[in-house]
Amino acid sequence: MKVVVLAATGQAGRTVLSELISRGHQVTAVARNPDKLPNSIDRVRDDLSSVDRIAEIIAGANAVVSAFGPPKDDPRFFSDVTYTDQLAGVAERLIAAVRKAGVPRLVVVGGAGSLEFAPGVTVLKSGHWPEALEPIAISHMKAFAALRASDINWTYFSPPMLIDPGVRTGKFRLGGDSVIFDEQGRSWVSFEDYAVALVDELENPAHERARFTIGY
């Protein structure tokens, strides 16, 4: 497939990019600073601020993967709601660009805050979510709501409560709207296995116009 990966220099974007390339897909990587990526990759510089420009970049693709998220190394991430809320704005522009370009599919690297922690209780309201990360969780929830209200073919892939660099095992469990816990009661996955599941979904769609999640 021809796949465009947005925000390709972040942890999720880089890992998904690597998984796609390893499986032989034709990839275009979009980033604010594409110079961080190998010269062998088709790279495009963009900040996702223009619907028309995004539509131009993604035209002709079989799918778009958005791994966009406000950089956590910016001090505003923990203090400025406007900064974190740019995620919701980007989601709106991506929906419009996908519609304009006629791309068949958008897969979004989502958030865990809206997952059900217990019956009727989201992760965000569970008491187990760090207060400092509430603004970004709320912005992810706004993006998710925008996708659900749209007429495009979207998939929202929520990570578990913890996602870290690790090992590609290929062994994990998938779910829908509820958190997946392992035998020790942890909700976690490696970025590498998250990427495996995302590319699996691209190759064999099972969650179109739906959300799914992952865990061990």
Side-chain angles (χ1 to χ4, degrees), residues 104-127:
R105 193 160 192 213
L106 171 65
V107 177
V108 173
V109 173
S114 59
L115 287 170
E116 191 173 67
F117 184 87
V121 181
T122 63
V123 167
L124 181 61
K125 299 297 184 181
S126 68

Side-chain angles (χ1 to χ4, degrees), residues 117-156:
F117 184 87
V121 181
T122 63
V123 167
L124 181 61
K125 299 297 184 181
S126 68
H128 295 271
W129 189 255
E131 184 177 351
L133 295 179
E134 286 185 7
I136 190 64
I138 292 170
S139 191
H140 270 296
M141 292 167 78
K142 290 179 182 178
F144 184 27
L147 289 168
R148 285 182 294 180
S150 76
D151 58 358
I152 67 168
N153 184 19
W154 57 271
T155 296
Y156 189 84

Side-chain angles (χ1 to χ4, degrees), residues 68 84-93 138-140 142-143 146:
F68 176 80
T84 52
D85 211 34
Q86 64 180 294
L87 191 153
V90 166
E92 294 278 7
R93 289 193 289 277
I138 292 170
S139 191
H140 270 296
K142 290 179 182 178

